[in-house]
Amino acid sequence: MLMAKLMQELERHTNVPFQCVYLVMDPGYNEINRAKIESNAALLHVPITVFETDIFDVANASEKNPCYLCARMRRGYLYSKAKELGCNKIALGHHFNDVIETTVMGMFFGGQLQAMPPKLHSDNFEGMELIRPMYCIHEEDIIAWRRRGEKLVECVEDVDLPTDYGHFRLKMYRSEPDGLEHLALVKGDVRGGDAVLVRVHSECFTGDVLGSERCDCGHQLHRAMRMIAGEGRGCLLYMRQEGRGIGLENKLHAYHLQEGGLDTVDANVRLGFAPDLRDYGAGAQILADLGISRIRLLTNNPMKIKALEGYGIEIVQRVPIIVPPNEHDAKYLSTKKERMGHLI
């Protein structure tokens, strides 16, 4: 999407006239991912053209090298569609970090030194050239640019909230891209000063509200509230990302698959989702709006640390939040530790 916006600007200001078609190839996305692409394009005023393929179905049916087959088919479909539309260049949005990571992956997993060149002439499609306009742009520069000029959350209400753990200020934020409403539970003065104790908690209706013992979510929520209240200063973000981003209905479908023997990772994948679809961009913007930039993060999840740091939040300490397993969530916690890298 960033490359599309850059190309729109270039179209407006270049001395060499050209036209762009903003192609989106759907290789078999699930409904959530397809809707996300379409809503982001609408938000950014990018007039996308979507064309559908059966690439995922074909690749998944292959027992040998499905990833290689998927990549080859995607490239072939893309070239064919571009040729059909009368295009002579295909611009891909890989940036500097993508190039480096792909090169390193090839070295470690393929035993070969290969890279994505900034330009590549096609041997099979005469007159067609693949270009990567963002080849020299670093990921950290993209993030810094985004943080300077973008604010996608708005505080819509601020009230007092007495709880079993004392009084908090409860602030409701609305996220502009998707309309989701997130909550910030704030204790004391959190602007500036020493690093703030923070918990970024993703919604779990079954655990947080119904007291489900299939996960440790509800226990973590209340333990975090107790710890923040005990310090007299801190913040708990309650992010509307049910089921690690797949929603309540799909989480219950995943539960059904787990009852058949799958673990929480394989159940999500069987439903067509990544193991974890959560995004912490809105959470980072809420923290910034609250004046919080340096935090002590209550988490067992190293990927959450990396994600928040990627949005410019300085994490000076990881504070563990351990809940002893019970007979119902022991496999769930074991999977989080062994397959998702949680530090428990």
Side-chain angles (χ1 to χ4, degrees), residues 18 22 144 172 201 212 230 339:
F18 68 96
Y22 300 99
M172 173 175 281
H201 186 91
S212 169
R339 301 196 62 187

Side-chain angles (χ1 to χ4, degrees), residues 46-67:
V46 177
I48 60 175
T49 298
V50 182
F51 69 100
E52 298 181 350
T53 72
D54 59 353
I55 293 175
F56 282 178
D57 290 337
V58 174
N60 287 333
S62 173
E63 296 182 0
K64 186 177 181 180
N65 299 325
C67 294

